[in-house]
Amino acid sequence: MFPVSVAAYVVAAILVTAVAERVRAPGALPAALAAHRVLPAAAIRVTALAVTVAEAALGVAMIAGLVFGPAPLVPAAAALLFAGYGAYSWHVTRTGRGGPCGCGGTEVPMGPWVTVRALVLAALAAGTAVAADTVIPLIPLSHVDERLVIVLLAAGTFATLLWHLPAATRSPEVAR
């Protein structure tokens, strides 16, 4: 119950944070996609918009599921999205194309830790999809649930750590 609940809230928090970063810096993702040289130039803006819309829709749907009850297809879709990010970042890193990750926040170069973060998030979302009916709801119907406080504290901690993982693992020599 606790691990799945923490995973669900981490996935929701990361999706909401990603959308907030896209709104804060709308040009960061298109610039990163251009630097990766994977997509044709004509597809860069459309892809960046599609990614942002997908993250926003999944973030809203994840929160709705946390409030109104389990919807296993939503975290399953988030798992696919994060797995796609993992595959893309692995490809960009493996081929040496470089460039910023485009993740938002403190920009870091595309690298193995960006891939690790995406795959960890995919695993958390997949675990949530499998056991969605065990997630502690955001708004308890009968009383204040002290378990929710623990879950929210843990999820906030893990989401923050995961969001900053690539930046925290960056070598100071590389930054210069």
Side-chain angles (χ1 to χ4, degrees), residues 4 8 11 15 58 61-81 121-135:
V4 174
V11 170
L15 288 168
L58 287 171
M62 281 291 296
I63 292 169
L66 295 171
V67 172
F68 299 113
L73 290 179
V74 174
L80 290 174
L81 180 70
L121 288 166
L124 292 174
T128 300
V130 169
D133 58 333
T134 66
V135 173

Side-chain angles (χ1 to χ4, degrees), residues 124-156:
L124 292 174
T128 300
V130 169
D133 58 333
T134 66
V135 173
I136 298 169
L138 184 59
I139 301 174
L141 299 176
S142 59
H143 67 285
V144 175
D145 191 341
E146 62 277 353
R147 299 173 307 164
L148 179 60
V149 174
I150 296 168
V151 166
L152 290 175
L153 288 171

